[in-house]
Amino acid sequence: LIERRVLMTAIYRELNRIGTNAIERDKLYGMKATLQVIERVLILPLRRPDLSEVYHFKSESVLLVGVPGIGKTFLAHYLMTGIHNAIFVSVDSDRLKQDLLKSSDIGSSSIFLRIDTINKETLLPVILILDDIDVILKEEGDQSLVSKFLNLMQGIRQRGFHVLASTNYPE
């Protein structure tokens, strides 16, 4: 018999791989330095929580900024296909925006309720991959959406989540 947590971890990791091929590290070309930073500030503290606790170094969320075509999404796909002490969940920014607009409060967002489920079933941290995060934060006269999103991000680490977001707009 397979323990439920191990089975759910394997299922979610396989779901990460749907729609993407395994990417070799040497195919990242100009993104290797960025990958090293991500591994140091996001992946390593999750992989070695014992060292993280000793050195009081917590895993940080990461925002990738750059012009289209430099490999931000490619790098996220590389991380999703690897085996880490975390589950990667790719969330469509448009869908998250619609979900935040529909929900009356932050706790009722269906996307984050599903991510809470993943976290509880696997007992692993969840890394949200938000490609084009600027879609959520665009000024459309609705400051409540931006406020909801920022309030959500404020308590995200305590819930066992981290964010790997990307944008084409540094501002």
Side-chain angles (χ1 to χ4, degrees), residues 7-22:
L7 178 63
M8 295 310 292
T9 300
I11 289 171
Y12 288 121
R13 284 192 174 140
E14 283 304 313
L15 288 173
N16 281 343
R17 293 178 179 92
I18 293 176
T20 188
N21 298 324

Side-chain angles (χ1 to χ4, degrees), residues 2 6 8 30 32 34 44 50 66 77 81 90 94 96 98 100 104 106 112 123 129 136 139 149 151:
I2 299 175
V6 174
M8 295 310 292
K32 288 182 182 177
T34 304
L44 182 64
D50 53 331
H77 282 270
T81 59
S90 182
D94 286 319
L96 178 59
Q98 294 307 315
L100 288 173
S104 58
I106 293 164
F112 284 96
L123 300 176
I129 296 178
I136 299 168
E139 298 286 331
F149 183 74
N151 285 334

Side-chain angles (χ1 to χ4, degrees), residues 26-154:
D26 60 339
K27 299 231 185 220
L28 293 174
Y29 304 117
M31 296 297 286
K32 288 182 182 177
T34 304
L35 177 61
Q36 289 174 342
V37 170
I38 291 171
E39 288 175 333
R40 188 173 59 240
V41 301
L42 179 64
I43 304 295
L44 182 64
L46 297 175
R47 185 179 297 151
R48 297 289 310 270
D50 53 331
L51 290 178
S52 177
E53 190 174 318
V54 168
Y55 293 112
H56 305 289
F57 183 73
K58 294 186 179 187
S59 187
E60 294 292 332
S61 294
V62 176
L63 175 64
L64 301 172
V65 180
V67 297
I70 63 168
K72 299 179 298 288
T73 304
F74 190 68
L75 180 62
H77 282 270
Y78 168 78
L79 290 168
M80 287 176 67
T81 59
I83 300 292
H84 305 286
N85 192 30
I87 300 294
F88 287 83
V89 177
S90 182
V91 177
D92 181 55
S93 294
D94 286 319
R95 190 162 174 213
L96 178 59
K97 181 177 182 176
Q98 294 307 315
D99 193 48
L100 288 173
L101 287 171
K102 286 184 216 173
S103 64
S104 58
D105 67 71
I106 293 164
S108 68
S109 167
S110 65
I111 291 173
F112 284 96
L113 290 174
R114 279 186 257 154
I115 292 169
D116 273 334
T117 302
I118 292 170
N119 182 257
K120 288 174 185 163
E121 288 180 344
T122 63
L123 300 176
L124 291 173
V126 176
I127 299 174
L128 305 175
I129 296 178
L130 293 171
D131 204 10
D132 296 326
I133 194 169
D134 48 279
V135 168
I136 299 168
L137 302 176
K138 281 185 182 171
E139 298 286 331
E140 293 181 359
D142 189 7
Q143 287 299 92
S144 65
L145 177 65
V146 174
S147 296
K148 272 187 191 181
F149 183 74
L150 293 176
N151 285 334
L152 179 69
M153 292 297 112
Q154 186 175 13

